[in-house]
Amino acid sequence: MGRITTRRTVVRVTVDHEPRRRQDTLAVEEPLEIRVSGEPLAVTMRTPGQDVELAAGFLVSEGIVARGEHFHTAIHCGGPGTGGGENTYNVLDIALAPGIAPPPPEAARAFYTTSSCGLCGKRSIEAVRTVSAYDVAADTTRVTPALLATLPETLRDHQAVFDKTGGLHAAGLFEAATGELLVLREDVGRHNAVDKVVGWALLNNDLPLTGTVLQVSGRASFELAQKAVMAGIPVLTAVSAASSLAVDLAEEAGLTLVGFLRGESMNIYAHPERVDGAASPA
């Protein structure tokens, strides 16, 4: 799998057995600098692969683009400060379509984005409450609890790199009506995995993502709820907990937010009316 995984020597220790050296497969984590028209915008720690999708999804999340025709080209270039030097494939320069305004200088992240934080570098909480181009609250999508209950296992069954490393998050986009898996992406950063899914949709001119469910392998944080809203996704489901700020945003934006989706049970934190039988609980 190229730079997606790598091999390292580890010492395997088991109680009451002799330690031994062995080769272990690790998920690769490397920085990606995203530039727009040559100007640095952000640096994120990510698993290499689908870099163009990652950058495209990031631009959607930032409110810079909203449709496929807004995104023109992307090219890997040399590292920071290089003048045509060796291509590290860790710098991606994006050209927006003619007439699309570049991000303002204040949009540049104050410091790099770690693989666990998709909002680091923002100057204030108001800055991340980006106005979406899509009205998620108007989406009339409905889903059944039985269909939602199948999504975590389907997601897990398709995590090919996780099977080798045990170290990647995943995000999968599903048809709400049928449960069909449309696309799945893995990354060391949960927000990167979502950006890759959204970027895939942007590059295929599929935004807004009405009638879909975004399933994630970890918790439902504010940043993931924000990315779902920016892409026009009406339902976000997670196998772990939701944060208070994610619930606040979901309530405000009209996003159905589901957490602790395990087996046949789940917690619906916001807008249960999209889930059959959940609108009027006892």
Side-chain angles (χ1 to χ4, degrees):
M1 293 188 177
R3 292 166 63 229
I4 298 176
T5 62
T6 189
R7 302 280 286 176
R8 293 288 190 273
T9 300
V10 301
V11 177
R12 183 65 177 267
V13 176
T14 305
V15 176
D16 296 330
H17 291 78
E18 288 293 323
R20 59 189 179 91
R21 293 185 179 275
R22 53 167 285 185
Q23 288 288 301
D24 195 22
T25 301
L26 307 180
V28 171
E29 182 177 27
E30 293 181 358
L32 176 69
E33 180 181 324
I34 300 172
R35 299 177 180 175
V36 178
S37 300
E39 294 296 323
L41 179 63
V43 177
T44 184
M45 303 301 294
R46 98 303 188 191
T47 300
Q50 297 100 27
D51 285 346
V52 177
E53 292 179 353
L54 170 57
F58 179 81
L59 294 184
V60 173
S61 299
E62 295 292 297
I64 297 167
V65 300
R67 299 191 181 278
E69 59 264 27
H70 298 168
F71 189 100
H72 185 46
T73 59
I75 184 171
H76 283 98
C77 51
T82 62
E86 180 183 358
N87 194 336
T88 62
Y89 295 95
N90 284 333
V91 179
L92 189 70
D93 197 1
I94 298 162
L96 302 180
I100 302 302
E106 60 268 21
R109 293 296 172 89
F111 47 88
Y112 75 90
T113 305
T114 70
S115 57
S116 62
C117 176
L119 298 175
C120 297
K122 285 292 192 178
R123 291 177 174 83
S124 67
I125 193 64
E126 290 78 13
V128 294
R129 287 189 178 274
T130 316
V131 178
S132 177
Y134 309 116
D135 185 5
V136 172
D139 193 314
T140 59
T141 295
R142 294 188 65 86
V143 292
T144 66
L147 184 144
L148 293 180
T150 67
L151 302 187
E153 184 175 355
T154 302
L155 188 77
R156 179 65 186 84
D157 288 345
H158 288 80
Q159 288 185 250
V161 184
F162 181 87
D163 286 339
K164 294 178 177 294
T165 66
L168 291 181
H169 291 282
L173 188 70
F174 293 84
E175 283 279 3
T178 64
E180 176 189 357
L181 177 62
L182 301 175
V183 63
L184 180 143
R185 293 292 183 259
E186 294 179 279
D187 199 278
V188 289
R190 59 173 62 87
H191 63 281
N192 288 339
V194 172
D195 276 342
K196 289 178 178 181
V197 167
V198 173
W200 170 87
L202 178 84
L203 297 176
N204 284 280
N205 292 307
D206 282 339
L207 293 185
L209 288 168
T210 56
T212 62
V213 179
L214 179 65
Q215 171 71 42
V216 296
S217 60
R219 60 187 175 86
S221 62
F222 173 87
E223 60 194 357
L224 300 194
Q226 172 83 1
K227 291 176 186 298
V229 170
M230 293 301 291
I233 298 170
V235 183
L236 170 63
T237 57
V239 297
S240 193
S243 71
S244 62
L245 200 55
V247 175
D248 291 345
L249 177 62
E251 287 282 9
E252 178 183 319
L255 173 71
T256 296
L257 181 60
V258 179
F260 288 113
L261 179 54
R262 302 172 183 177
E264 295 185 344
S265 67
M266 63 201 75
N267 290 347
I268 305 177
Y269 294 96
H271 294 281
E273 64 273 10
R274 286 197 181 94
V275 181
D276 288 350
S280 300

